[in-house]
Amino acid sequence: MNNSSKNAYRTMFKQYPDVVDVKQVCEMLNLSRTKVYELIKNGEIKRIPCGRIIKVAKVTVIDFVLQSAQ
């Protein structure tokens, strides 16, 4: 991992907890709820198994952003 990636993990979405819900992912990515569910269903954003509630690790959202930017 290069320095810019390390810096991104330290600074991106700093105000959010380490594990977020769908509503927070929508806010982070400025996407609709439907689009976020689609990304999760397609495996583009990995979910944390938590029964019927969908939780996502913040680092997964950051990975998605960094991959999308390339």
Side-chain angles (χ1 to χ4, degrees):
M1 182 182 308
N2 61 30
N3 283 338
S4 63
S5 293
K6 287 180 186 177
N7 191 38
Y9 285 102
R10 275 189 242 115
T11 59
M12 288 180 75
F13 308 122
K14 200 173 180 179
Q15 69 274 25
Y16 290 94
D18 290 336
V19 177
V20 294
D21 59 22
V22 171
K23 181 181 178 188
Q24 292 168 315
V25 176
C26 293
E27 293 170 3
M28 293 163 84
L29 300 177
N30 195 29
L31 295 174
S32 70
R33 195 173 183 89
T34 304
K35 183 63 177 176
V36 171
Y37 278 119
E38 182 183 310
L39 292 170
I40 292 169
K41 182 181 177 189
N42 293 337
E44 295 179 62
I45 296 177
K46 303 288 185 214
R47 69 185 291 244
I48 297 171
C50 193
R52 293 181 51 158
I53 299 170
I54 295 177
K55 296 285 185 175
V56 176
K58 178 170 65 173
V59 69
T60 303
V61 178
I62 294 170
D63 286 341
F64 174 77
V65 171
L66 293 176
Q67 288 176 351
S68 297
Q70 293 181 354

Short mmCIF file of all heavy atoms in Angstrom, two decimals:
data_model
loop_
_atom_site.label_atom_id
_atom_site.label_comp_id
_atom_site.label_asym_id
_atom_site.label_seq_id
_atom_site.Cartn_x
_atom_site.Cartn_y
_atom_site.Cartn_z
N MET A 1 0.84 -1.17 0.00
CA MET A 1 0.00 0.00 0.00
C MET A 1 0.90 1.24 0.00
O MET A 1 1.80 1.36 0.81
CB MET A 1 -0.89 -0.04 1.24
CG MET A 1 -1.83 1.09 1.34
SD MET A 1 -2.88 1.13 2.83
CE MET A 1 -3.58 -0.48 2.86
N ASN A 2 0.62 2.16 -0.91
CA ASN A 2 1.45 3.37 -0.98
C ASN A 2 0.97 4.42 0.02
O ASN A 2 -0.06 4.27 0.66
CB ASN A 2 1.47 3.92 -2.41
CG ASN A 2 0.11 4.32 -2.89
OD1 ASN A 2 -0.75 4.72 -2.12
ND2 ASN A 2 -0.11 4.23 -4.19
N ASN A 3 1.72 5.49 0.14
CA ASN A 3 1.42 6.52 1.14
C ASN A 3 0.09 7.21 0.89
O ASN A 3 -0.61 7.56 1.84
CB ASN A 3 2.55 7.55 1.20
CG ASN A 3 3.75 7.04 1.95
OD1 ASN A 3 3.63 6.13 2.77
ND2 ASN A 3 4.91 7.62 1.68
N SER A 4 -0.27 7.42 -0.37
CA SER A 4 -1.54 8.09 -0.65
C SER A 4 -2.72 7.22 -0.23
O SER A 4 -3.73 7.74 0.27
CB SER A 4 -1.65 8.48 -2.12
OG SER A 4 -1.64 7.34 -2.94
N SER A 5 -2.61 5.91 -0.40
CA SER A 5 -3.67 5.01 0.06
C SER A 5 -3.77 5.01 1.58
O SER A 5 -4.87 5.06 2.14
CB SER A 5 -3.41 3.58 -0.42
OG SER A 5 -3.52 3.50 -1.82
N LYS A 6 -2.64 4.97 2.25
CA LYS A 6 -2.64 5.01 3.71
C LYS A 6 -3.28 6.30 4.21
O LYS A 6 -4.06 6.29 5.16
CB LYS A 6 -1.21 4.89 4.25
CG LYS A 6 -0.62 3.52 4.12
CD LYS A 6 0.80 3.50 4.67
CE LYS A 6 1.45 2.15 4.42
NZ LYS A 6 2.85 2.13 4.87
N ASN A 7 -2.95 7.39 3.55
CA ASN A 7 -3.51 8.68 3.92
C ASN A 7 -5.02 8.69 3.71
O ASN A 7 -5.77 9.24 4.52
CB ASN A 7 -2.84 9.80 3.13
CG ASN A 7 -3.19 11.16 3.66
OD1 ASN A 7 -3.30 11.36 4.86
ND2 ASN A 7 -3.39 12.10 2.76
N ALA A 8 -5.48 8.08 2.63
CA ALA A 8 -6.92 8.01 2.35
C ALA A 8 -7.65 7.27 3.46
O ALA A 8 -8.72 7.71 3.90
CB ALA A 8 -7.16 7.34 1.01
N TYR A 9 -7.09 6.16 3.92
CA TYR A 9 -7.74 5.39 4.98
C TYR A 9 -7.79 6.17 6.29
O TYR A 9 -8.71 5.99 7.09
CB TYR A 9 -7.01 4.06 5.20
CG TYR A 9 -7.30 3.06 4.11
CD1 TYR A 9 -6.37 2.81 3.11
CD2 TYR A 9 -8.50 2.38 4.06
CE1 TYR A 9 -6.64 1.90 2.09
CE2 TYR A 9 -8.78 1.48 3.05
CZ TYR A 9 -7.84 1.25 2.07
OH TYR A 9 -8.11 0.37 1.06
N ARG A 10 -6.82 7.05 6.52
CA ARG A 10 -6.81 7.84 7.75
C ARG A 10 -7.76 9.03 7.68
O ARG A 10 -8.24 9.49 8.72
CB ARG A 10 -5.40 8.35 8.04
CG ARG A 10 -4.57 7.34 8.78
CD ARG A 10 -3.25 7.94 9.24
NE ARG A 10 -2.19 7.20 8.56
CZ ARG A 10 -1.34 7.68 7.69
NH1 ARG A 10 -1.35 8.94 7.37
NH2 ARG A 10 -0.44 6.92 7.12
N THR A 11 -8.00 9.55 6.48
CA THR A 11 -8.74 10.81 6.37
C THR A 11 -10.15 10.70 5.79
O THR A 11 -11.01 11.52 6.12
CB THR A 11 -7.96 11.83 5.53
OG1 THR A 11 -7.72 11.28 4.23
CG2 THR A 11 -6.64 12.17 6.19
N MET A 12 -10.40 9.74 4.94
CA MET A 12 -11.71 9.63 4.29
C MET A 12 -12.79 9.19 5.28
O MET A 12 -12.58 8.24 6.04
CB MET A 12 -11.67 8.64 3.13
CG MET A 12 -10.94 9.14 1.92
SD MET A 12 -10.92 7.94 0.58
CE MET A 12 -12.60 8.08 -0.01
N PHE A 13 -13.90 9.86 5.27
CA PHE A 13 -15.07 9.49 6.07
C PHE A 13 -14.72 9.39 7.56
O PHE A 13 -15.25 8.54 8.28
CB PHE A 13 -15.69 8.19 5.57
CG PHE A 13 -15.98 8.19 4.09
CD1 PHE A 13 -15.42 7.25 3.26
CD2 PHE A 13 -16.80 9.15 3.53
CE1 PHE A 13 -15.67 7.24 1.90
CE2 PHE A 13 -17.07 9.15 2.16
CZ PHE A 13 -16.51 8.19 1.34
N LYS A 14 -13.87 10.28 8.00
CA LYS A 14 -13.39 10.29 9.38
C LYS A 14 -14.54 10.40 10.39
O LYS A 14 -14.45 9.86 11.49
CB LYS A 14 -12.41 11.45 9.54
CG LYS A 14 -11.49 11.37 10.67
CD LYS A 14 -10.49 12.51 10.58
CE LYS A 14 -9.51 12.47 11.71
NZ LYS A 14 -8.54 13.56 11.61
N GLN A 15 -15.61 11.08 10.01
CA GLN A 15 -16.72 11.33 10.93
C GLN A 15 -17.64 10.11 11.10
O GLN A 15 -18.52 10.13 11.95
CB GLN A 15 -17.54 12.55 10.48
CG GLN A 15 -18.33 12.36 9.20
CD GLN A 15 -17.53 12.64 7.94
OE1 GLN A 15 -16.31 12.55 7.91
NE2 GLN A 15 -18.22 12.99 6.88
N TYR A 16 -17.43 9.07 10.30
CA TYR A 16 -18.27 7.88 10.38
C TYR A 16 -17.62 6.80 11.23
O TYR A 16 -16.39 6.70 11.29
CB TYR A 16 -18.54 7.32 8.98
CG TYR A 16 -19.44 8.22 8.16
CD1 TYR A 16 -18.91 9.16 7.29
CD2 TYR A 16 -20.82 8.12 8.26
CE1 TYR A 16 -19.74 9.99 6.55
CE2 TYR A 16 -21.65 8.94 7.52
CZ TYR A 16 -21.11 9.88 6.67
OH TYR A 16 -21.94 10.70 5.94
N PRO A 17 -18.44 5.95 11.86
CA PRO A 17 -17.88 4.83 12.65
C PRO A 17 -17.25 3.78 11.73
O PRO A 17 -17.43 3.83 10.51
CB PRO A 17 -19.10 4.28 13.39
CG PRO A 17 -20.27 4.68 12.57
CD PRO A 17 -19.89 5.99 11.92
N ASP A 18 -16.54 2.83 12.32
CA ASP A 18 -15.87 1.79 11.53
C ASP A 18 -16.84 0.85 10.82
O ASP A 18 -16.51 0.26 9.80
CB ASP A 18 -14.93 0.97 12.42
CG ASP A 18 -13.73 1.78 12.87
OD1 ASP A 18 -13.37 2.75 12.18
OD2 ASP A 18 -13.14 1.44 13.91
N VAL A 19 -18.04 0.70 11.36
CA VAL A 19 -19.08 -0.12 10.73
C VAL A 19 -20.30 0.78 10.52
O VAL A 19 -20.76 1.42 11.46
CB VAL A 19 -19.45 -1.34 11.60
CG1 VAL A 19 -20.56 -2.14 10.98
CG2 VAL A 19 -18.22 -2.21 11.83
N VAL A 20 -20.79 0.81 9.28
CA VAL A 20 -21.89 1.71 8.93
C VAL A 20 -23.07 0.92 8.39
O VAL A 20 -22.94 -0.23 7.97
CB VAL A 20 -21.44 2.76 7.89
CG1 VAL A 20 -20.40 3.69 8.49
CG2 VAL A 20 -20.90 2.12 6.63
N ASP A 21 -24.24 1.57 8.40
CA ASP A 21 -25.43 0.95 7.81
C ASP A 21 -25.67 1.51 6.40
O ASP A 21 -24.91 2.36 5.93
CB ASP A 21 -26.64 1.15 8.72
CG ASP A 21 -26.98 2.61 8.98
OD1 ASP A 21 -26.58 3.48 8.17
OD2 ASP A 21 -27.65 2.89 9.98
N VAL A 22 -26.70 1.04 5.76
CA VAL A 22 -26.99 1.43 4.37
C VAL A 22 -27.23 2.93 4.26
O VAL A 22 -26.74 3.58 3.33
CB VAL A 22 -28.18 0.62 3.80
CG1 VAL A 22 -28.62 1.16 2.45
CG2 VAL A 22 -27.82 -0.85 3.69
N LYS A 23 -27.95 3.50 5.21
CA LYS A 23 -28.22 4.94 5.18
C LYS A 23 -26.91 5.74 5.19
O LYS A 23 -26.76 6.70 4.44
CB LYS A 23 -29.09 5.33 6.37
CG LYS A 23 -29.44 6.79 6.41
CD LYS A 23 -30.29 7.13 7.61
CE LYS A 23 -30.57 8.62 7.64
NZ LYS A 23 -31.22 9.03 8.87
N GLN A 24 -25.98 5.32 6.02
CA GLN A 24 -24.70 6.01 6.09
C GLN A 24 -23.88 5.82 4.81
O GLN A 24 -23.22 6.75 4.36
CB GLN A 24 -23.91 5.54 7.31
CG GLN A 24 -24.55 5.99 8.62
CD GLN A 24 -23.96 5.30 9.82
OE1 GLN A 24 -23.75 4.10 9.83
NE2 GLN A 24 -23.70 6.09 10.86
N VAL A 25 -23.93 4.63 4.22
CA VAL A 25 -23.24 4.40 2.95
C VAL A 25 -23.82 5.33 1.88
O VAL A 25 -23.07 5.91 1.09
CB VAL A 25 -23.33 2.92 2.51
CG1 VAL A 25 -22.70 2.73 1.13
CG2 VAL A 25 -22.68 2.00 3.52
N CYS A 26 -25.13 5.49 1.87
CA CYS A 26 -25.78 6.41 0.93
C CYS A 26 -25.23 7.83 1.10
O CYS A 26 -24.93 8.51 0.12
CB CYS A 26 -27.29 6.44 1.15
SG CYS A 26 -28.14 4.91 0.73
N GLU A 27 -25.09 8.26 2.36
CA GLU A 27 -24.56 9.59 2.63
C GLU A 27 -23.10 9.70 2.18
O GLU A 27 -22.70 10.69 1.58
CB GLU A 27 -24.63 9.89 4.12
CG GLU A 27 -26.03 10.04 4.67
CD GLU A 27 -26.06 10.09 6.19
OE1 GLU A 27 -24.99 10.06 6.83
OE2 GLU A 27 -27.18 10.13 6.73
N MET A 28 -22.32 8.68 2.49
CA MET A 28 -20.89 8.70 2.17
C MET A 28 -20.65 8.79 0.68
O MET A 28 -19.77 9.52 0.22
CB MET A 28 -20.22 7.43 2.73
CG MET A 28 -20.19 7.37 4.25
SD MET A 28 -19.87 5.72 4.87
CE MET A 28 -18.08 5.68 4.79
N LEU A 29 -21.43 8.05 -0.09
CA LEU A 29 -21.21 7.97 -1.53
C LEU A 29 -22.14 8.88 -2.33
O LEU A 29 -22.04 8.94 -3.56
CB LEU A 29 -21.38 6.52 -2.00
CG LEU A 29 -20.42 5.51 -1.38
CD1 LEU A 29 -20.75 4.10 -1.87
CD2 LEU A 29 -18.98 5.87 -1.69
N ASN A 30 -23.07 9.53 -1.65
CA ASN A 30 -24.05 10.38 -2.31
C ASN A 30 -24.81 9.59 -3.38
O ASN A 30 -24.96 10.04 -4.52
CB ASN A 30 -23.41 11.63 -2.88
CG ASN A 30 -24.42 12.69 -3.23
OD1 ASN A 30 -25.49 12.75 -2.62
ND2 ASN A 30 -24.12 13.51 -4.22
N LEU A 31 -25.26 8.41 -2.99
CA LEU A 31 -26.02 7.53 -3.88
C LEU A 31 -27.38 7.23 -3.26
O LEU A 31 -27.57 7.36 -2.05
CB LEU A 31 -25.27 6.21 -4.09
CG LEU A 31 -23.93 6.28 -4.82
CD1 LEU A 31 -23.27 4.91 -4.81
CD2 LEU A 31 -24.12 6.76 -6.24
N SER A 32 -28.30 6.79 -4.11
CA SER A 32 -29.62 6.43 -3.61
C SER A 32 -29.55 5.10 -2.87
O SER A 32 -28.62 4.30 -3.05
CB SER A 32 -30.61 6.30 -4.78
OG SER A 32 -30.30 5.15 -5.55
N ARG A 33 -30.54 4.86 -2.06
CA ARG A 33 -30.65 3.61 -1.30
C ARG A 33 -30.70 2.41 -2.25
O ARG A 33 -30.04 1.40 -2.03
CB ARG A 33 -31.91 3.69 -0.44
CG ARG A 33 -32.01 2.69 0.64
CD ARG A 33 -33.26 3.06 1.49
NE ARG A 33 -33.39 2.19 2.60
CZ ARG A 33 -32.85 2.37 3.79
NH1 ARG A 33 -32.12 3.44 4.01
NH2 ARG A 33 -33.03 1.52 4.76
N THR A 34 -31.45 2.56 -3.35
CA THR A 34 -31.57 1.49 -4.33
C THR A 34 -30.22 1.15 -4.94
O THR A 34 -29.87 -0.02 -5.09
CB THR A 34 -32.55 1.91 -5.45
OG1 THR A 34 -33.81 2.25 -4.86
CG2 THR A 34 -32.74 0.81 -6.46
N LYS A 35 -29.44 2.17 -5.29
CA LYS A 35 -28.13 1.95 -5.89
C LYS A 35 -27.18 1.27 -4.90
O LYS A 35 -26.42 0.36 -5.28
CB LYS A 35 -27.53 3.28 -6.36
CG LYS A 35 -26.20 3.13 -7.06
CD LYS A 35 -26.31 2.31 -8.33
CE LYS A 35 -24.98 2.24 -9.04
NZ LYS A 35 -25.04 1.37 -10.22
N VAL A 36 -27.22 1.66 -3.64
CA VAL A 36 -26.36 1.04 -2.63
C VAL A 36 -26.73 -0.43 -2.46
O VAL A 36 -25.86 -1.30 -2.42
CB VAL A 36 -26.42 1.81 -1.29
CG1 VAL A 36 -25.71 1.03 -0.18
CG2 VAL A 36 -25.79 3.18 -1.45
N TYR A 37 -28.03 -0.73 -2.39
CA TYR A 37 -28.46 -2.13 -2.29
C TYR A 37 -28.00 -2.92 -3.51
O TYR A 37 -27.59 -4.08 -3.39
CB TYR A 37 -29.99 -2.24 -2.14
CG TYR A 37 -30.47 -2.03 -0.73
CD1 TYR A 37 -31.34 -0.99 -0.42
CD2 TYR A 37 -30.08 -2.88 0.31
CE1 TYR A 37 -31.80 -0.79 0.87
CE2 TYR A 37 -30.53 -2.69 1.60
CZ TYR A 37 -31.39 -1.65 1.87
OH TYR A 37 -31.84 -1.47 3.16
N GLU A 38 -28.05 -2.31 -4.67
CA GLU A 38 -27.59 -2.95 -5.91
C GLU A 38 -26.09 -3.27 -5.84
O GLU A 38 -25.65 -4.36 -6.20
CB GLU A 38 -27.90 -2.05 -7.09
CG GLU A 38 -27.52 -2.60 -8.44
CD GLU A 38 -27.80 -1.59 -9.55
OE1 GLU A 38 -28.92 -1.05 -9.59
OE2 GLU A 38 -26.88 -1.35 -10.36
N LEU A 39 -25.31 -2.31 -5.38
CA LEU A 39 -23.86 -2.52 -5.25
C LEU A 39 -23.56 -3.64 -4.25
O LEU A 39 -22.65 -4.44 -4.48
CB LEU A 39 -23.18 -1.22 -4.80
CG LEU A 39 -23.16 -0.09 -5.81
CD1 LEU A 39 -22.67 1.21 -5.16
CD2 LEU A 39 -22.30 -0.43 -7.01
N ILE A 40 -24.31 -3.71 -3.18
CA ILE A 40 -24.12 -4.77 -2.19
C ILE A 40 -24.54 -6.11 -2.78
O ILE A 40 -23.82 -7.11 -2.65
CB ILE A 40 -24.90 -4.45 -0.90
CG1 ILE A 40 -24.26 -3.24 -0.21
CG2 ILE A 40 -24.94 -5.65 0.03
CD1 ILE A 40 -25.08 -2.66 0.93
N LYS A 41 -25.68 -6.15 -3.46
CA LYS A 41 -26.17 -7.39 -4.06
C LYS A 41 -25.19 -7.93 -5.10
O LYS A 41 -24.95 -9.13 -5.18
CB LYS A 41 -27.53 -7.14 -4.71
CG LYS A 41 -28.14 -8.37 -5.32
CD LYS A 41 -29.48 -8.07 -5.97
CE LYS A 41 -30.02 -9.31 -6.64
NZ LYS A 41 -31.20 -9.02 -7.45
N ASN A 42 -24.58 -7.03 -5.88
CA ASN A 42 -23.64 -7.44 -6.93
C ASN A 42 -22.25 -7.75 -6.38
O ASN A 42 -21.36 -8.14 -7.14
CB ASN A 42 -23.53 -6.35 -8.00
CG ASN A 42 -24.81 -6.17 -8.78
OD1 ASN A 42 -25.64 -7.07 -8.85
ND2 ASN A 42 -24.99 -5.01 -9.36
N GLY A 43 -22.05 -7.53 -5.09
CA GLY A 43 -20.76 -7.82 -4.48
C GLY A 43 -19.71 -6.76 -4.67
O GLY A 43 -18.55 -6.97 -4.34
N GLU A 44 -20.11 -5.61 -5.20
CA GLU A 44 -19.15 -4.52 -5.39
C GLU A 44 -18.80 -3.86 -4.06
O GLU A 44 -17.71 -3.32 -3.90
CB GLU A 44 -19.71 -3.49 -6.37
CG GLU A 44 -19.89 -4.05 -7.77
CD GLU A 44 -20.48 -3.04 -8.72
OE1 GLU A 44 -19.83 -2.00 -8.94
OE2 GLU A 44 -21.58 -3.29 -9.24
N ILE A 45 -19.74 -3.90 -3.13
CA ILE A 45 -19.49 -3.48 -1.75
C ILE A 45 -19.84 -4.68 -0.88
O ILE A 45 -20.97 -5.19 -0.93
CB ILE A 45 -20.35 -2.26 -1.36
CG1 ILE A 45 -19.96 -1.05 -2.19
CG2 ILE A 45 -20.20 -1.96 0.12
CD1 ILE A 45 -20.80 0.19 -1.92
N LYS A 46 -18.86 -5.15 -0.11
CA LYS A 46 -19.06 -6.33 0.73
C LYS A 46 -19.82 -5.97 1.99
O LYS A 46 -19.57 -4.94 2.62
CB LYS A 46 -17.71 -6.95 1.12
CG LYS A 46 -16.84 -7.31 -0.05
CD LYS A 46 -17.38 -8.50 -0.77
CE LYS A 46 -16.42 -8.91 -1.88
NZ LYS A 46 -17.06 -9.44 -3.03
N ARG A 47 -20.75 -6.83 2.38
CA ARG A 47 -21.53 -6.61 3.59
C ARG A 47 -21.01 -7.49 4.72
O ARG A 47 -20.36 -8.51 4.47
CB ARG A 47 -23.00 -6.88 3.33
CG ARG A 47 -23.33 -8.34 3.09
CD ARG A 47 -24.78 -8.54 2.72
NE ARG A 47 -25.64 -8.26 3.84
CZ ARG A 47 -26.41 -9.17 4.44
NH1 ARG A 47 -26.42 -10.41 4.04
NH2 ARG A 47 -27.16 -8.83 5.46
N ILE A 48 -21.31 -7.09 5.92
CA ILE A 48 -20.98 -7.88 7.10
C ILE A 48 -22.23 -8.65 7.48
O ILE A 48 -23.29 -8.05 7.68
CB ILE A 48 -20.56 -6.96 8.27
CG1 ILE A 48 -19.29 -6.19 7.91
CG2 ILE A 48 -20.36 -7.77 9.55
CD1 ILE A 48 -18.93 -5.12 8.91
N PRO A 49 -22.14 -9.98 7.57
CA PRO A 49 -23.31 -10.76 7.97
C PRO A 49 -23.79 -10.35 9.37
O PRO A 49 -23.02 -10.36 10.32
CB PRO A 49 -22.80 -12.20 7.98
CG PRO A 49 -21.52 -12.19 7.22
CD PRO A 49 -20.97 -10.81 7.34
N CYS A 50 -25.02 -9.90 9.43
CA CYS A 50 -25.58 -9.42 10.70
C CYS A 50 -27.09 -9.67 10.70
O CYS A 50 -27.87 -8.75 10.89
CB CYS A 50 -25.25 -7.94 10.84
SG CYS A 50 -25.51 -7.26 12.47
N GLY A 51 -27.48 -10.91 10.42
CA GLY A 51 -28.90 -11.22 10.33
C GLY A 51 -29.53 -10.53 9.15
O GLY A 51 -28.98 -10.49 8.06
N ARG A 52 -30.67 -9.91 9.38
CA ARG A 52 -31.37 -9.22 8.31
C ARG A 52 -30.87 -7.79 8.11
O ARG A 52 -31.19 -7.15 7.11
CB ARG A 52 -32.86 -9.19 8.60
CG ARG A 52 -33.49 -10.56 8.55
CD ARG A 52 -34.95 -10.48 8.81
NE ARG A 52 -35.52 -9.47 7.93
CZ ARG A 52 -36.78 -9.40 7.59
NH1 ARG A 52 -37.63 -10.27 8.06
NH2 ARG A 52 -37.22 -8.46 6.79
N ILE A 53 -30.12 -7.30 9.06
CA ILE A 53 -29.60 -5.93 8.98
C ILE A 53 -28.31 -5.94 8.16
O ILE A 53 -27.45 -6.80 8.35
CB ILE A 53 -29.33 -5.37 10.38
CG1 ILE A 53 -30.63 -5.32 11.18
CG2 ILE A 53 -28.70 -3.99 10.29
CD1 ILE A 53 -30.44 -5.01 12.64
N ILE A 54 -28.20 -5.00 7.26
CA ILE A 54 -26.99 -4.91 6.44
C ILE A 54 -26.04 -3.91 7.07
O ILE A 54 -26.40 -2.75 7.30
CB ILE A 54 -27.33 -4.49 5.00
CG1 ILE A 54 -28.16 -5.58 4.33
CG2 ILE A 54 -26.06 -4.20 4.21
CD1 ILE A 54 -28.62 -5.26 2.93
N LYS A 55 -24.85 -4.36 7.35
CA LYS A 55 -23.78 -3.51 7.88
C LYS A 55 -22.60 -3.61 6.93
O LYS A 55 -22.39 -4.65 6.29
CB LYS A 55 -23.34 -3.96 9.28
CG LYS A 55 -24.41 -3.84 10.33
CD LYS A 55 -24.62 -2.41 10.72
CE LYS A 55 -25.60 -2.28 11.86
NZ LYS A 55 -25.73 -0.92 12.32
N VAL A 56 -21.84 -2.55 6.83
CA VAL A 56 -20.69 -2.49 5.92
C VAL A 56 -19.52 -1.88 6.68
O VAL A 56 -19.69 -0.89 7.40
CB VAL A 56 -21.03 -1.62 4.68
CG1 VAL A 56 -19.84 -1.47 3.77
CG2 VAL A 56 -22.22 -2.20 3.92
N ALA A 57 -18.36 -2.46 6.51
CA ALA A 57 -17.15 -1.88 7.12
C ALA A 57 -16.77 -0.62 6.35
O ALA A 57 -16.80 -0.60 5.12
CB ALA A 57 -16.01 -2.88 7.09
N LYS A 58 -16.44 0.43 7.07
CA LYS A 58 -16.05 1.69 6.44
C LYS A 58 -14.89 1.48 5.48
O LYS A 58 -14.85 2.08 4.41
CB LYS A 58 -15.69 2.73 7.51
CG LYS A 58 -15.23 4.05 6.94
CD LYS A 58 -15.09 5.14 7.98
CE LYS A 58 -14.01 4.86 8.98
NZ LYS A 58 -13.78 6.02 9.89
N VAL A 59 -13.96 0.61 5.84
CA VAL A 59 -12.81 0.35 4.97
C VAL A 59 -13.26 -0.22 3.62
O VAL A 59 -12.65 0.06 2.59
CB VAL A 59 -11.79 -0.57 5.68
CG1 VAL A 59 -12.32 -1.98 5.85
CG2 VAL A 59 -10.47 -0.58 4.97
N THR A 60 -14.37 -0.95 3.61
CA THR A 60 -14.91 -1.49 2.35
C THR A 60 -15.41 -0.35 1.46
O THR A 60 -15.21 -0.39 0.24
CB THR A 60 -16.07 -2.47 2.65
OG1 THR A 60 -15.59 -3.50 3.51
CG2 THR A 60 -16.61 -3.08 1.39
N VAL A 61 -16.04 0.63 2.05
CA VAL A 61 -16.52 1.78 1.28
C VAL A 61 -15.33 2.56 0.71
O VAL A 61 -15.33 2.95 -0.45
CB VAL A 61 -17.41 2.70 2.15
CG1 VAL A 61 -17.87 3.92 1.36
CG2 VAL A 61 -18.61 1.93 2.69
N ILE A 62 -14.29 2.73 1.53
CA ILE A 62 -13.09 3.43 1.06
C ILE A 62 -12.44 2.66 -0.08
O ILE A 62 -12.04 3.24 -1.10
CB ILE A 62 -12.11 3.65 2.22
CG1 ILE A 62 -12.72 4.62 3.24
CG2 ILE A 62 -10.77 4.19 1.71
CD1 ILE A 62 -11.96 4.74 4.54
N ASP A 63 -12.35 1.33 0.05
CA ASP A 63 -11.81 0.49 -1.04
C ASP A 63 -12.61 0.69 -2.32
O ASP A 63 -12.05 0.80 -3.40
CB ASP A 63 -11.84 -0.99 -0.65
CG ASP A 63 -10.77 -1.36 0.36
OD1 ASP A 63 -9.79 -0.61 0.51
OD2 ASP A 63 -10.93 -2.43 0.99
N PHE A 64 -13.93 0.71 -2.21
CA PHE A 64 -14.80 0.90 -3.37
C PHE A 64 -14.51 2.24 -4.04
O PHE A 64 -14.37 2.31 -5.26
CB PHE A 64 -16.27 0.81 -2.95
CG PHE A 64 -17.23 1.13 -4.06
CD1 PHE A 64 -17.49 0.20 -5.05
CD2 PHE A 64 -17.86 2.37 -4.12
CE1 PHE A 64 -18.37 0.51 -6.09
CE2 PHE A 64 -18.72 2.68 -5.14
CZ PHE A 64 -18.99 1.74 -6.13
N VAL A 65 -14.37 3.29 -3.26
CA VAL A 65 -14.10 4.63 -3.81
C VAL A 65 -12.75 4.64 -4.50
O VAL A 65 -12.61 5.15 -5.62
CB VAL A 65 -14.16 5.70 -2.69
CG1 VAL A 65 -13.65 7.04 -3.21
CG2 VAL A 65 -15.57 5.83 -2.16
N LEU A 66 -11.73 4.08 -3.86
CA LEU A 66 -10.39 4.09 -4.44
C LEU A 66 -10.33 3.27 -5.73
O LEU A 66 -9.67 3.67 -6.69
CB LEU A 66 -9.36 3.57 -3.42
CG LEU A 66 -9.14 4.47 -2.20
CD1 LEU A 66 -8.18 3.80 -1.23
CD2 LEU A 66 -8.66 5.84 -2.60
N GLN A 67 -11.03 2.12 -5.77
CA GLN A 67 -11.06 1.31 -6.99
C GLN A 67 -11.82 2.01 -8.10
O GLN A 67 -11.44 1.93 -9.26
CB GLN A 67 -11.68 -0.06 -6.70
CG GLN A 67 -10.80 -0.96 -5.90
CD GLN A 67 -11.49 -2.27 -5.55
OE1 GLN A 67 -12.68 -2.44 -5.77
NE2 GLN A 67 -10.74 -3.20 -4.97
N SER A 68 -12.89 2.69 -7.75
CA SER A 68 -13.69 3.40 -8.74
C SER A 68 -12.92 4.56 -9.35
O SER A 68 -13.17 4.95 -10.48
CB SER A 68 -14.98 3.91 -8.11
OG SER A 68 -15.78 2.83 -7.67
N ALA A 69 -12.03 5.15 -8.57
CA ALA A 69 -11.27 6.30 -9.02
C ALA A 69 -10.17 5.93 -10.01
O ALA A 69 -9.64 6.79 -10.71
CB ALA A 69 -10.65 7.04 -7.84
N GLN A 70 -9.82 4.66 -10.09
CA GLN A 70 -8.73 4.23 -10.98
C GLN A 70 -9.19 3.97 -12.37
O GLN A 70 -10.21 3.71 -12.74
CB GLN A 70 -8.05 2.99 -10.42
CG GLN A 70 -7.33 3.28 -9.15
CD GLN A 70 -6.63 2.05 -8.58
OE1 GLN A 70 -6.78 0.96 -9.09
NE2 GLN A 70 -5.91 2.25 -7.53
#
